PDB file of all heavy atoms in Angstrom:
ATOM      1  N   VAL L   1     170.516 141.604 260.448  1.00  0.00           N
ATOM      2  CA  VAL L   1     170.213 141.713 261.872  1.00  0.00           C
ATOM      3  C   VAL L   1     168.716 141.642 262.115  1.00  0.00           C
ATOM      4  O   VAL L   1     168.217 140.756 262.805  1.00  0.00           O
ATOM      5  CB  VAL L   1     170.782 143.020 262.468  1.00  0.00           C
ATOM      6  CG1 VAL L   1     170.427 143.130 263.957  1.00  0.00           C
ATOM      7  CG2 VAL L   1     172.288 143.062 262.279  1.00  0.00           C
ATOM      8  N   ASN L   2     167.972 142.550 261.519  1.00  0.00           N
ATOM      9  CA  ASN L   2     166.539 142.607 261.775  1.00  0.00           C
ATOM     10  C   ASN L   2     165.920 143.596 260.797  1.00  0.00           C
ATOM     11  O   ASN L   2     166.600 144.175 259.955  1.00  0.00           O
ATOM     12  CB  ASN L   2     166.278 143.050 263.221  1.00  0.00           C
ATOM     13  CG  ASN L   2     164.934 142.556 263.736  1.00  0.00           C
ATOM     14  OD1 ASN L   2     164.054 142.229 262.944  1.00  0.00           O
ATOM     15  ND2 ASN L   2     164.784 142.497 265.046  1.00  0.00           N
ATOM     16  N   ASP L   3     164.612 143.782 260.925  1.00  0.00           N
ATOM     17  CA  ASP L   3     163.902 144.803 260.159  1.00  0.00           C
ATOM     18  C   ASP L   3     163.585 145.981 261.067  1.00  0.00           C
ATOM     19  O   ASP L   3     163.386 145.831 262.276  1.00  0.00           O
ATOM     20  CB  ASP L   3     162.606 144.237 259.583  1.00  0.00           C
ATOM     21  CG  ASP L   3     162.864 143.182 258.523  1.00  0.00           C
ATOM     22  OD1 ASP L   3     163.972 143.178 257.962  1.00  0.00           O
ATOM     23  OD2 ASP L   3     161.967 142.351 258.258  1.00  0.00           O
ATOM     24  N   ILE L   4     163.505 147.159 260.479  1.00  0.00           N
ATOM     25  CA  ILE L   4     163.185 148.367 261.234  1.00  0.00           C
ATOM     26  C   ILE L   4     162.143 149.160 260.459  1.00  0.00           C
ATOM     27  O   ILE L   4     162.203 149.253 259.229  1.00  0.00           O
ATOM     28  CB  ILE L   4     164.451 149.223 261.492  1.00  0.00           C
ATOM     29  CG1 ILE L   4     164.090 150.431 262.336  1.00  0.00           C
ATOM     30  CG2 ILE L   4     165.118 149.634 260.196  1.00  0.00           C
ATOM     31  CD1 ILE L   4     165.314 151.238 262.762  1.00  0.00           C
ATOM     32  N   ASN L   5     161.175 149.674 261.168  1.00  0.00           N
ATOM     33  CA  ASN L   5     160.117 150.479 260.554  1.00  0.00           C
ATOM     34  C   ASN L   5     160.503 151.948 260.607  1.00  0.00           C
ATOM     35  O   ASN L   5     160.733 152.511 261.692  1.00  0.00           O
ATOM     36  CB  ASN L   5     158.789 150.268 261.277  1.00  0.00           C
ATOM     37  CG  ASN L   5     158.292 148.838 261.153  1.00  0.00           C
ATOM     38  OD1 ASN L   5     158.490 148.192 260.133  1.00  0.00           O
ATOM     39  ND2 ASN L   5     157.648 148.339 262.201  1.00  0.00           N
ATOM     40  N   ILE L   6     160.579 152.562 259.442  1.00  0.00           N
ATOM     41  CA  ILE L   6     160.841 154.001 259.338  1.00  0.00           C
ATOM     42  C   ILE L   6     159.660 154.614 258.597  1.00  0.00           C
ATOM     43  O   ILE L   6     159.554 154.488 257.366  1.00  0.00           O
ATOM     44  CB  ILE L   6     162.163 154.287 258.597  1.00  0.00           C
ATOM     45  CG1 ILE L   6     163.333 153.635 259.337  1.00  0.00           C
ATOM     46  CG2 ILE L   6     162.384 155.793 258.468  1.00  0.00           C
ATOM     47  CD1 ILE L   6     164.666 153.842 258.649  1.00  0.00           C
ATOM     48  N   GLY L   7     158.792 155.244 259.367  1.00  0.00           N
ATOM     49  CA  GLY L   7     157.573 155.769 258.778  1.00  0.00           C
ATOM     50  C   GLY L   7     156.681 154.605 258.335  1.00  0.00           C
ATOM     51  O   GLY L   7     156.314 153.731 259.121  1.00  0.00           O
ATOM     52  N   SER L   8     156.354 154.577 257.046  1.00  0.00           N
ATOM     53  CA  SER L   8     155.515 153.498 256.510  1.00  0.00           C
ATOM     54  C   SER L   8     156.334 152.447 255.775  1.00  0.00           C
ATOM     55  O   SER L   8     155.765 151.551 255.156  1.00  0.00           O
ATOM     56  CB  SER L   8     154.467 154.091 255.553  1.00  0.00           C
ATOM     57  OG  SER L   8     155.109 154.756 254.470  1.00  0.00           O
ATOM     58  N   GLN L   9     157.650 152.550 255.856  1.00  0.00           N
ATOM     59  CA  GLN L   9     158.515 151.623 255.150  1.00  0.00           C
ATOM     60  C   GLN L   9     159.175 150.661 256.127  1.00  0.00           C
ATOM     61  O   GLN L   9     159.476 151.001 257.259  1.00  0.00           O
ATOM     62  CB  GLN L   9     159.598 152.379 254.366  1.00  0.00           C
ATOM     63  CG  GLN L   9     159.060 153.247 253.245  1.00  0.00           C
ATOM     64  CD  GLN L   9     160.182 153.935 252.476  1.00  0.00           C
ATOM     65  OE1 GLN L   9     161.332 153.950 252.917  1.00  0.00           O
ATOM     66  NE2 GLN L   9     159.849 154.530 251.344  1.00  0.00           N
ATOM     67  N   VAL L  10     159.384 149.434 255.635  1.00  0.00           N
ATOM     68  CA  VAL L  10     160.090 148.420 256.403  1.00  0.00           C
ATOM     69  C   VAL L  10     161.456 148.229 255.770  1.00  0.00           C
ATOM     70  O   VAL L  10     161.566 147.876 254.591  1.00  0.00           O
ATOM     71  CB  VAL L  10     159.322 147.089 256.433  1.00  0.00           C
ATOM     72  CG1 VAL L  10     160.105 146.045 257.211  1.00  0.00           C
ATOM     73  CG2 VAL L  10     157.939 147.285 257.035  1.00  0.00           C
ATOM     74  N   ASN L  11     162.517 148.487 256.516  1.00  0.00           N
ATOM     75  CA  ASN L  11     163.884 148.409 256.008  1.00  0.00           C
ATOM     76  C   ASN L  11     164.643 147.310 256.740  1.00  0.00           C
ATOM     77  O   ASN L  11     164.399 147.043 257.928  1.00  0.00           O
ATOM     78  CB  ASN L  11     164.612 149.751 256.200  1.00  0.00           C
ATOM     79  CG  ASN L  11     163.949 150.888 255.448  1.00  0.00           C
ATOM     80  OD1 ASN L  11     164.215 151.103 254.280  1.00  0.00           O
ATOM     81  ND2 ASN L  11     163.062 151.610 256.143  1.00  0.00           N
ATOM     82  N   LYS L  12     165.558 146.699 256.025  1.00  0.00           N
ATOM     83  CA  LYS L  12     166.397 145.664 256.609  1.00  0.00           C
ATOM     84  C   LYS L  12     167.632 146.287 257.228  1.00  0.00           C
ATOM     85  O   LYS L  12     168.237 147.206 256.662  1.00  0.00           O
ATOM     86  CB  LYS L  12     166.812 144.643 255.546  1.00  0.00           C
ATOM     87  CG  LYS L  12     165.655 143.855 254.966  1.00  0.00           C
ATOM     88  CD  LYS L  12     166.142 142.836 253.959  1.00  0.00           C
ATOM     89  CE  LYS L  12     164.984 142.044 253.375  1.00  0.00           C
ATOM     90  NZ  LYS L  12     164.281 141.255 254.394  1.00  0.00           N
ATOM     91  N   VAL L  13     168.035 145.786 258.373  1.00  0.00           N
ATOM     92  CA  VAL L  13     169.235 146.236 259.058  1.00  0.00           C
ATOM     93  C   VAL L  13     170.346 145.237 258.736  1.00  0.00           C
ATOM     94  O   VAL L  13     170.288 144.060 259.113  1.00  0.00           O
ATOM     95  CB  VAL L  13     169.022 146.335 260.576  1.00  0.00           C
ATOM     96  CG1 VAL L  13     170.310 146.770 261.263  1.00  0.00           C
ATOM     97  CG2 VAL L  13     167.890 147.298 260.882  1.00  0.00           C
ATOM     98  N   ILE L  14     171.347 145.689 258.010  1.00  0.00           N
ATOM     99  CA  ILE L  14     172.470 144.851 257.592  1.00  0.00           C
ATOM    100  C   ILE L  14     173.757 145.528 258.025  1.00  0.00           C
ATOM    101  O   ILE L  14     173.965 146.721 257.757  1.00  0.00           O
ATOM    102  CB  ILE L  14     172.470 144.641 256.063  1.00  0.00           C
ATOM    103  CG1 ILE L  14     171.184 143.926 255.636  1.00  0.00           C
ATOM    104  CG2 ILE L  14     173.688 143.851 255.619  1.00  0.00           C
ATOM    105  CD1 ILE L  14     171.044 143.756 254.148  1.00  0.00           C
ATOM    106  N   ILE L  15     174.620 144.805 258.720  1.00  0.00           N
ATOM    107  CA  ILE L  15     175.868 145.383 259.215  1.00  0.00           C
ATOM    108  C   ILE L  15     177.024 144.895 258.358  1.00  0.00           C
ATOM    109  O   ILE L  15     177.005 143.802 257.792  1.00  0.00           O
ATOM    110  CB  ILE L  15     176.113 145.032 260.698  1.00  0.00           C
ATOM    111  CG1 ILE L  15     176.196 143.514 260.869  1.00  0.00           C
ATOM    112  CG2 ILE L  15     175.017 145.609 261.574  1.00  0.00           C
ATOM    113  CD1 ILE L  15     176.561 143.105 262.288  1.00  0.00           C
ATOM    114  N   GLN L  16     178.047 145.748 258.269  1.00  0.00           N
ATOM    115  CA  GLN L  16     179.238 145.463 257.488  1.00  0.00           C
ATOM    116  C   GLN L  16     180.323 146.447 257.901  1.00  0.00           C
ATOM    117  O   GLN L  16     180.035 147.595 258.265  1.00  0.00           O
ATOM    118  CB  GLN L  16     178.938 145.588 255.985  1.00  0.00           C
ATOM    119  CG  GLN L  16     180.094 145.244 255.075  1.00  0.00           C
ATOM    120  CD  GLN L  16     179.780 145.545 253.612  1.00  0.00           C
ATOM    121  OE1 GLN L  16     179.363 146.667 253.279  1.00  0.00           O
ATOM    122  NE2 GLN L  16     179.973 144.564 252.742  1.00  0.00           N
ATOM    123  N   SER L  17     181.572 145.994 257.856  1.00  0.00           N
ATOM    124  CA  SER L  17     182.677 146.881 258.190  1.00  0.00           C
ATOM    125  C   SER L  17     182.804 147.974 257.144  1.00  0.00           C
ATOM    126  O   SER L  17     182.519 147.764 255.957  1.00  0.00           O
ATOM    127  CB  SER L  17     183.972 146.077 258.287  1.00  0.00           C
ATOM    128  OG  SER L  17     185.064 146.930 258.584  1.00  0.00           O
ATOM    129  N   ASP L  18     183.253 149.162 257.593  1.00  0.00           N
ATOM    130  CA  ASP L  18     183.431 150.268 256.665  1.00  0.00           C
ATOM    131  C   ASP L  18     184.528 149.924 255.657  1.00  0.00           C
ATOM    132  O   ASP L  18     185.422 149.116 255.917  1.00  0.00           O
ATOM    133  CB  ASP L  18     183.779 151.531 257.451  1.00  0.00           C
ATOM    134  CG  ASP L  18     183.548 152.787 256.613  1.00  0.00           C
ATOM    135  OD1 ASP L  18     183.012 152.643 255.493  1.00  0.00           O
ATOM    136  OD2 ASP L  18     183.916 153.877 257.068  1.00  0.00           O
ATOM    137  N   TRP L  19     184.466 150.590 254.499  1.00  0.00           N
ATOM    138  CA  TRP L  19     185.384 150.242 253.403  1.00  0.00           C
ATOM    139  C   TRP L  19     186.852 150.427 253.804  1.00  0.00           C
ATOM    140  O   TRP L  19     187.711 149.632 253.436  1.00  0.00           O
ATOM    141  CB  TRP L  19     185.046 151.096 252.184  1.00  0.00           C
ATOM    142  CG  TRP L  19     186.035 150.963 251.064  1.00  0.00           C
ATOM    143  CD1 TRP L  19     186.856 151.922 250.571  1.00  0.00           C
ATOM    144  CD2 TRP L  19     186.301 149.787 250.302  1.00  0.00           C
ATOM    145  NE1 TRP L  19     187.621 151.438 249.549  1.00  0.00           N
ATOM    146  CE2 TRP L  19     187.299 150.106 249.362  1.00  0.00           C
ATOM    147  CE3 TRP L  19     185.805 148.489 250.323  1.00  0.00           C
ATOM    148  CZ2 TRP L  19     187.818 149.190 248.456  1.00  0.00           C
ATOM    149  CZ3 TRP L  19     186.312 147.575 249.419  1.00  0.00           C
ATOM    150  CH2 TRP L  19     187.311 147.920 248.491  1.00  0.00           C
ATOM    151  N   MET L  20     187.159 151.448 254.556  1.00  0.00           N
ATOM    152  CA  MET L  20     188.556 151.706 254.926  1.00  0.00           C
ATOM    153  C   MET L  20     189.113 150.618 255.839  1.00  0.00           C
ATOM    154  O   MET L  20     190.339 150.516 255.990  1.00  0.00           O
ATOM    155  CB  MET L  20     188.664 153.085 255.614  1.00  0.00           C
ATOM    156  CG  MET L  20     187.957 153.167 256.968  1.00  0.00           C
ATOM    157  SD  MET L  20     188.126 154.808 257.707  1.00  0.00           S
ATOM    158  CE  MET L  20     187.288 155.826 256.518  1.00  0.00           C
ATOM    159  N   HIS L  21     188.247 149.816 256.429  1.00  0.00           N
ATOM    160  CA  HIS L  21     188.689 148.749 257.329  1.00  0.00           C
ATOM    161  C   HIS L  21     188.639 147.366 256.679  1.00  0.00           C
ATOM    162  O   HIS L  21     188.853 146.359 257.367  1.00  0.00           O
ATOM    163  CB  HIS L  21     187.825 148.731 258.599  1.00  0.00           C
ATOM    164  CG  HIS L  21     187.887 150.004 259.363  1.00  0.00           C
ATOM    165  ND1 HIS L  21     189.034 150.466 260.007  1.00  0.00           N
ATOM    166  CD2 HIS L  21     186.927 150.964 259.588  1.00  0.00           C
ATOM    167  CE1 HIS L  21     188.789 151.616 260.601  1.00  0.00           C
ATOM    168  NE2 HIS L  21     187.510 151.949 260.368  1.00  0.00           N
ATOM    169  N   ARG L  22     188.368 147.322 255.369  1.00  0.00           N
ATOM    170  CA  ARG L  22     188.320 146.022 254.698  1.00  0.00           C
ATOM    171  C   ARG L  22     188.827 146.096 253.250  1.00  0.00           C
ATOM    172  O   ARG L  22     188.561 145.221 252.448  1.00  0.00           O
ATOM    173  CB  ARG L  22     186.890 145.481 254.686  1.00  0.00           C
ATOM    174  CG  ARG L  22     185.851 146.389 254.045  1.00  0.00           C
ATOM    175  CD  ARG L  22     184.460 145.796 254.175  1.00  0.00           C
ATOM    176  NE  ARG L  22     183.442 146.705 253.676  1.00  0.00           N
ATOM    177  CZ  ARG L  22     183.017 146.772 252.411  1.00  0.00           C
ATOM    178  NH1 ARG L  22     183.543 145.967 251.510  1.00  0.00           N
ATOM    179  NH2 ARG L  22     182.094 147.626 252.066  1.00  0.00           N
ATOM    180  N   ASN L  23     189.601 147.131 252.933  1.00  0.00           N
ATOM    181  CA  ASN L  23     190.079 147.300 251.564  1.00  0.00           C
ATOM    182  C   ASN L  23     191.514 146.815 251.367  1.00  0.00           C
ATOM    183  O   ASN L  23     192.068 146.952 250.284  1.00  0.00           O
ATOM    184  CB  ASN L  23     189.967 148.762 251.125  1.00  0.00           C
ATOM    185  CG  ASN L  23     190.807 149.684 252.008  1.00  0.00           C
ATOM    186  OD1 ASN L  23     191.341 149.243 253.020  1.00  0.00           O
ATOM    187  ND2 ASN L  23     190.900 150.952 251.636  1.00  0.00           N
ATOM    188  N   ARG L  24     192.143 146.258 252.399  1.00  0.00           N
ATOM    189  CA  ARG L  24     193.510 145.762 252.303  1.00  0.00           C
ATOM    190  C   ARG L  24     193.593 144.364 252.898  1.00  0.00           C
ATOM    191  O   ARG L  24     192.759 143.975 253.730  1.00  0.00           O
ATOM    192  CB  ARG L  24     194.481 146.699 253.039  1.00  0.00           C
ATOM    193  CG  ARG L  24     194.528 148.121 252.497  1.00  0.00           C
ATOM    194  CD  ARG L  24     195.610 148.942 253.222  1.00  0.00           C
ATOM    195  NE  ARG L  24     195.417 148.896 254.674  1.00  0.00           N
ATOM    196  CZ  ARG L  24     194.621 149.710 255.349  1.00  0.00           C
ATOM    197  NH1 ARG L  24     193.934 150.647 254.691  1.00  0.00           N
ATOM    198  NH2 ARG L  24     194.510 149.606 256.637  1.00  0.00           N
ATOM    199  N   ILE L  25     194.668 143.641 252.496  1.00  0.00           N
ATOM    200  CA  ILE L  25     194.847 142.291 253.040  1.00  0.00           C
ATOM    201  C   ILE L  25     195.123 142.352 254.540  1.00  0.00           C
ATOM    202  O   ILE L  25     194.653 141.508 255.316  1.00  0.00           O
ATOM    203  CB  ILE L  25     196.004 141.582 252.303  1.00  0.00           C
ATOM    204  CG1 ILE L  25     195.688 141.459 250.816  1.00  0.00           C
ATOM    205  CG2 ILE L  25     196.268 140.214 252.909  1.00  0.00           C
ATOM    206  CD1 ILE L  25     196.796 140.837 250.013  1.00  0.00           C
ATOM    207  N   GLY L  26     195.848 143.381 254.972  1.00  0.00           N
ATOM    208  CA  GLY L  26     196.161 143.483 256.390  1.00  0.00           C
ATOM    209  C   GLY L  26     194.957 143.767 257.262  1.00  0.00           C
ATOM    210  O   GLY L  26     195.044 143.654 258.489  1.00  0.00           O
ATOM    211  N   SER L  27     193.824 144.132 256.635  1.00  0.00           N
ATOM    212  CA  SER L  27     192.628 144.419 257.433  1.00  0.00           C
ATOM    213  C   SER L  27     192.116 143.174 258.139  1.00  0.00           C
ATOM    214  O   SER L  27     191.443 143.281 259.175  1.00  0.00           O
ATOM    215  CB  SER L  27     191.535 144.996 256.536  1.00  0.00           C
ATOM    216  OG  SER L  27     191.974 146.188 255.907  1.00  0.00           O
ATOM    217  N   ILE L  28     192.443 141.995 257.594  1.00  0.00           N
ATOM    218  CA  ILE L  28     191.965 140.756 258.225  1.00  0.00           C
ATOM    219  C   ILE L  28     192.603 140.578 259.594  1.00  0.00           C
ATOM    220  O   ILE L  28     191.957 140.128 260.554  1.00  0.00           O
ATOM    221  CB  ILE L  28     192.260 139.562 257.310  1.00  0.00           C
ATOM    222  CG1 ILE L  28     191.537 139.739 255.984  1.00  0.00           C
ATOM    223  CG2 ILE L  28     191.864 138.249 257.978  1.00  0.00           C
ATOM    224  CD1 ILE L  28     191.813 138.638 254.978  1.00  0.00           C
ATOM    225  N   GLY L  29     193.878 140.925 259.714  1.00  0.00           N
ATOM    226  CA  GLY L  29     194.555 140.749 261.003  1.00  0.00           C
ATOM    227  C   GLY L  29     194.157 141.755 262.051  1.00  0.00           C
ATOM    228  O   GLY L  29     194.520 141.597 263.233  1.00  0.00           O
ATOM    229  N   ASN L  30     193.433 142.794 261.681  1.00  0.00           N
ATOM    230  CA  ASN L  30     193.068 143.842 262.630  1.00  0.00           C
ATOM    231  C   ASN L  30     191.726 143.605 263.310  1.00  0.00           C
ATOM    232  O   ASN L  30     191.348 144.401 264.175  1.00  0.00           O
ATOM    233  CB  ASN L  30     193.042 145.199 261.929  1.00  0.00           C
ATOM    234  CG  ASN L  30     194.420 145.592 261.410  1.00  0.00           C
ATOM    235  OD1 ASN L  30     195.439 145.210 261.978  1.00  0.00           O
ATOM    236  ND2 ASN L  30     194.446 146.376 260.320  1.00  0.00           N
ATOM    237  N   ILE L  31     191.014 142.573 262.918  1.00  0.00           N
ATOM    238  CA  ILE L  31     189.726 142.321 263.557  1.00  0.00           C
ATOM    239  C   ILE L  31     189.924 141.363 264.738  1.00  0.00           C
ATOM    240  O   ILE L  31     190.936 140.657 264.825  1.00  0.00           O
ATOM    241  CB  ILE L  31     188.704 141.751 262.554  1.00  0.00           C
ATOM    242  CG1 ILE L  31     189.171 140.408 262.019  1.00  0.00           C
ATOM    243  CG2 ILE L  31     188.484 142.731 261.404  1.00  0.00           C
ATOM    244  CD1 ILE L  31     188.164 139.749 261.090  1.00  0.00           C
ATOM    245  N   TYR L  32     188.938 141.319 265.618  1.00  0.00           N
ATOM    246  CA  TYR L  32     189.015 140.501 266.826  1.00  0.00           C
ATOM    247  C   TYR L  32     187.848 139.516 266.838  1.00  0.00           C
ATOM    248  O   TYR L  32     186.758 139.805 266.352  1.00  0.00           O
ATOM    249  CB  TYR L  32     188.975 141.380 268.080  1.00  0.00           C
ATOM    250  CG  TYR L  32     190.224 142.207 268.266  1.00  0.00           C
ATOM    251  CD1 TYR L  32     190.375 143.431 267.607  1.00  0.00           C
ATOM    252  CD2 TYR L  32     191.248 141.765 269.111  1.00  0.00           C
ATOM    253  CE1 TYR L  32     191.517 144.190 267.767  1.00  0.00           C
ATOM    254  CE2 TYR L  32     192.398 142.531 269.286  1.00  0.00           C
ATOM    255  CZ  TYR L  32     192.523 143.737 268.606  1.00  0.00           C
ATOM    256  OH  TYR L  32     193.661 144.471 268.769  1.00  0.00           O
ATOM    257  N   VAL L  33     188.124 138.360 267.458  1.00  0.00           N
ATOM    258  CA  VAL L  33     187.120 137.311 267.601  1.00  0.00           C
ATOM    259  C   VAL L  33     186.920 137.059 269.078  1.00  0.00           C
ATOM    260  O   VAL L  33     187.897 136.970 269.845  1.00  0.00           O
ATOM    261  CB  VAL L  33     187.548 136.013 266.885  1.00  0.00           C
ATOM    262  CG1 VAL L  33     186.457 134.965 267.001  1.00  0.00           C
ATOM    263  CG2 VAL L  33     187.880 136.290 265.433  1.00  0.00           C
ATOM    264  N   ARG L  34     185.668 136.902 269.508  1.00  0.00           N
ATOM    265  CA  ARG L  34     185.385 136.680 270.920  1.00  0.00           C
ATOM    266  C   ARG L  34     185.479 135.180 271.226  1.00  0.00           C
ATOM    267  O   ARG L  34     184.904 134.352 270.526  1.00  0.00           O
ATOM    268  CB  ARG L  34     184.008 137.216 271.273  1.00  0.00           C
ATOM    269  CG  ARG L  34     183.718 137.217 272.776  1.00  0.00           C
ATOM    270  CD  ARG L  34     182.410 137.937 273.064  1.00  0.00           C
ATOM    271  NE  ARG L  34     182.483 139.333 272.661  1.00  0.00           N
ATOM    272  CZ  ARG L  34     183.013 140.306 273.410  1.00  0.00           C
ATOM    273  NH1 ARG L  34     183.528 140.019 274.610  1.00  0.00           N
ATOM    274  NH2 ARG L  34     183.027 141.546 272.985  1.00  0.00           N
ATOM    275  N   SER L  35     186.195 134.860 272.263  1.00  0.00           N
ATOM    276  CA  SER L  35     186.353 133.475 272.688  1.00  0.00           C
ATOM    277  C   SER L  35     185.223 133.079 273.620  1.00  0.00           C
ATOM    278  O   SER L  35     184.381 133.908 274.003  1.00  0.00           O
ATOM    279  CB  SER L  35     187.702 133.283 273.392  1.00  0.00           C
ATOM    280  OG  SER L  35     187.730 134.006 274.620  1.00  0.00           O
ATOM    281  N   LEU L  36     185.233 131.793 274.018  1.00  0.00           N
ATOM    282  CA  LEU L  36     184.196 131.317 274.935  1.00  0.00           C
ATOM    283  C   LEU L  36     184.356 131.938 276.321  1.00  0.00           C
ATOM    284  O   LEU L  36     183.390 132.001 277.102  1.00  0.00           O
ATOM    285  CB  LEU L  36     184.254 129.787 275.037  1.00  0.00           C
ATOM    286  CG  LEU L  36     183.930 129.031 273.744  1.00  0.00           C
ATOM    287  CD1 LEU L  36     184.080 127.526 273.967  1.00  0.00           C
ATOM    288  CD2 LEU L  36     182.524 129.354 273.268  1.00  0.00           C
ATOM    289  N   ALA L  37     185.564 132.396 276.656  1.00  0.00           N
ATOM    290  CA  ALA L  37     185.794 133.043 277.950  1.00  0.00           C
ATOM    291  C   ALA L  37     185.395 134.501 277.949  1.00  0.00           C
ATOM    292  O   ALA L  37     185.466 135.177 278.985  1.00  0.00           O
ATOM    293  CB  ALA L  37     187.271 132.910 278.343  1.00  0.00           C
ATOM    294  N   GLY L  38     185.007 135.036 276.789  1.00  0.00           N
ATOM    295  CA  GLY L  38     184.578 136.421 276.692  1.00  0.00           C
ATOM    296  C   GLY L  38     185.679 137.373 276.318  1.00  0.00           C
ATOM    297  O   GLY L  38     185.425 138.576 276.190  1.00  0.00           O
TER     298      GLY L  38
END
């Protein structure tokens, strides 16, 4: 996503689904995709 300054350190902001929401095959069907209509 971006970098964030915490004190004197520069950290990277990386997003990812939590493990409980991506540890099974059925987890793929539970996510949503945004269409062009919103």
Side-chain angles (χ1 to χ4, degrees):
V1 179
N2 205 339
D3 293 339
I4 183 174
N5 296 325
I6 300 179
S8 60
Q9 295 182 347
V10 179
N11 299 274
K12 295 182 180 297
V13 178
I14 299 176
I15 60 175
Q16 183 187 52
S17 179
D18 198 6
W19 172 245
M20 66 180 63
H21 300 293
R22 57 184 175 88
N23 61 352
R24 299 185 306 274
I25 299 177
S27 301
I28 299 177
N30 297 330
I31 63 176
Y32 290 84
V33 182
R34 189 172 298 277
S35 66
L36 295 178

